[in-house]
Amino acid sequence: MVLLMPRLVGRAKRLPVPAALQSFELAPRHLSLLTYVLLDGPVTVNELAKRLQVAPTTVSLMVADLNRQGVVNRHTDDNDRRRTLVTIADSHRPAVAAWLGGADRGWRAALGPLTAEERALVIATLRAYEEAVSEL
């Protein structure tokens, strides 16, 4: 694992940003946000903040930046007019999906053959590793 983890992270970082997105100067923090929106569909800023484990104001600023650039859209939830949802702009969805979908396809290929219990064990192990390393 000590040798494998840096390679995994290195490969993920080397996923080339599609030409259609290069002018947006997307940072690693944008990757996680866009991945959640891509894979989970429309989501609120508060939900993103919980998933990203950052303050809602931080996510709000990130969403505002991406919205200003036209990468994401904010719109009112039809089921609850008090909620605002974040979605990937239709014009950029194919590029975002091609870029971030590769990592998703990799994880699905690796974890797909496992049982639900085995997948849960892998995820729990990775979380335990993250926690242990963060305490150093």
Side-chain angles (χ1 to χ4, degrees):
M1 285 300 281
V2 172
L3 297 175
L4 180 60
M5 290 304 288
R7 287 195 343 237
L8 289 174
V9 171
R11 290 206 195 288
K13 284 183 174 182
R14 285 193 304 268
L15 289 173
V17 177
L21 301 174
Q22 287 179 354
S23 66
F24 298 119
E25 299 179 16
L26 299 173
R29 65 183 185 274
H30 294 117
L31 282 151
S32 298
L33 184 147
L34 289 171
T35 300
Y36 279 121
V37 177
L38 175 69
L39 299 179
D40 296 341
V43 63
T44 66
V45 166
N46 285 337
E47 290 169 10
L48 283 169
K50 285 179 193 170
R51 294 176 188 179
L52 295 169
Q53 299 177 345
V54 297
T57 53
T58 301
V59 174
S60 184
L61 290 170
M62 290 169 49
V63 168
D65 180 43
L66 291 170
N67 181 252
R68 198 172 24 262
Q69 297 181 71
V71 178
V72 300
N73 295 321
R74 289 186 282 195
H75 58 87
T76 304
D77 184 347
D78 291 335
N79 297 322
D80 183 347
R81 307 294 292 166
R82 297 169 294 175
R83 290 174 26 131
T84 300
L85 298 174
V86 178
T87 59
I88 295 174
D90 290 340
S91 59
H92 294 295
R93 180 171 286 283
V96 171
W99 178 34
L100 301 176
D104 178 54
R105 286 187 296 278
W107 280 114
R108 288 181 190 276
L111 298 174
L114 304 178
T115 66
E117 294 80 20
E118 290 169 331
R119 283 191 298 275
L121 177 61
V122 169
I123 292 167
T125 302
L126 291 172
R127 283 187 175 145
Y129 173 81
E130 177 193 24
E131 186 176 318
V133 170
S134 69
E135 293 175 358
L136 298 178

